[in-house]
C-alpha cells in the first residue's frame, strides 16, 4: 500500500490550501482515510478522518481545532482523499500526513502512512 500526499505550500494567514492523498495497492472505496499533522517540536496529532463510503452514509470526524475550517472528502473514482483547509492560521503550520487502514484519533490505530507534505502559514 502506498500513499502520496501533495498540495502543501506557503500561504498567508486567512488563506486556503487543498491537500490530496492518492492511495494505491489497496481497495480505496473500502478504505478509511485520515489526516494527521506534526508541528516542529510537537507530537503528531489527529486532524480529520473519513470512513469508506460503501453502501453507508459517509462519516467524518474532525479535531476541535479545525472544525468549521477544514473539510475532508474523498473521490473513489480517483483513489484520492482530500483535505480542504480554509481560514488558515499560523498554528496550522506543520507537516501533514495522510493515513489509511484504520480509524480513530490515535496514531496507533492507522496502519499505512504517506510521506507528508509541508504546510506553512505566515502571519
Amino acid at each position: 500500500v502506498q500513499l502520496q500526499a501533495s498540495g502543501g505550500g506557503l500561504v498567508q494567514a486567512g488563506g486556503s490550501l487543498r491537500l490530496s492523498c492518492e492511495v494505491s495497492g489497496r481497495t480505496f472505496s473500502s478504505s478509511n482515510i485520515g489526516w494527521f499533522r506534526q508541528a516542529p517540536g510537537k507530537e503528531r496529532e489527529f486532524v480529520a478522518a473519513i470512513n469508506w463510503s460503501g453502501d453507508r452514509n459517509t462519516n467524518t470526524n474532525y479535531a476541535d481545532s479545525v472544525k468549521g475550517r477544514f473539510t475532508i472528502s474523498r473521490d473513489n473514482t480517483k483513489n484520492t482523499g482530500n483535505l480542504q483547509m480554509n481560514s488558515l492560521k499560523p498554528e496550522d503550520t506543520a507537516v501533514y500526513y495522510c493515513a489509511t487502514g484504520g480509524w480513530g484519533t490515535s496514531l496507533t490505530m492507522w496502519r499505512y502512512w504517506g510521506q507528508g507534505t509541508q504546510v506553512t502559514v505566515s502571519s
Side-chain angles (χ1 to χ4, degrees), residues 3 21 32-36 46 48-50 72 97-100 110 113:
L3 294 85
C21 178
N32 300 333
I33 299 295
W35 286 95
F36 291 74
F46 172 78
I50 186 168
I72 190 170
Y97 298 88
C98 57
T100 191
W110 297 82
W113 292 84

Side-chain angles (χ1 to χ4, degrees), residues 6-86:
S6 61
L10 173 63
V11 64
Q12 289 187 334
S16 299
L17 281 174
R18 183 178 177 86
L19 304 183
S20 295
C21 178
E22 184 175 0
V23 180
S24 60
R26 181 177 179 90
T27 304
F28 182 79
S29 59
S30 62
S31 299
N32 300 333
I33 299 295
W35 286 95
F36 291 74
R37 66 187 182 187
Q38 187 166 16
K42 296 187 176 181
E43 294 185 350
R44 195 173 299 186
E45 64 177 7
F46 172 78
V47 176
I50 186 168
N51 73 336
W52 70 288
S53 4
D55 57 356
R56 303 178 294 179
N57 292 328
T58 299
N59 292 318
T60 58
N61 188 26
Y62 296 92
D64 289 343
S65 59
V66 305
K67 280 182 181 177
R69 300 188 298 122
F70 291 11
T71 302
I72 190 170
S73 63
R74 63 189 300 143
D75 185 342
N76 290 345
T77 66
K78 298 180 179 179
N79 288 1
T80 300
N82 302 300
L83 185 68
Q84 177 67 42
M85 305 185 297
N86 299 329

Side-chain angles (χ1 to χ4, degrees), residues 90-109:
E91 50 264 44
D92 294 319
T93 295
V95 177
Y96 283 71
Y97 298 88
C98 57
T100 191
W103 185 250
T105 60
S106 173
L107 303 179
T108 60
M109 295 180 179

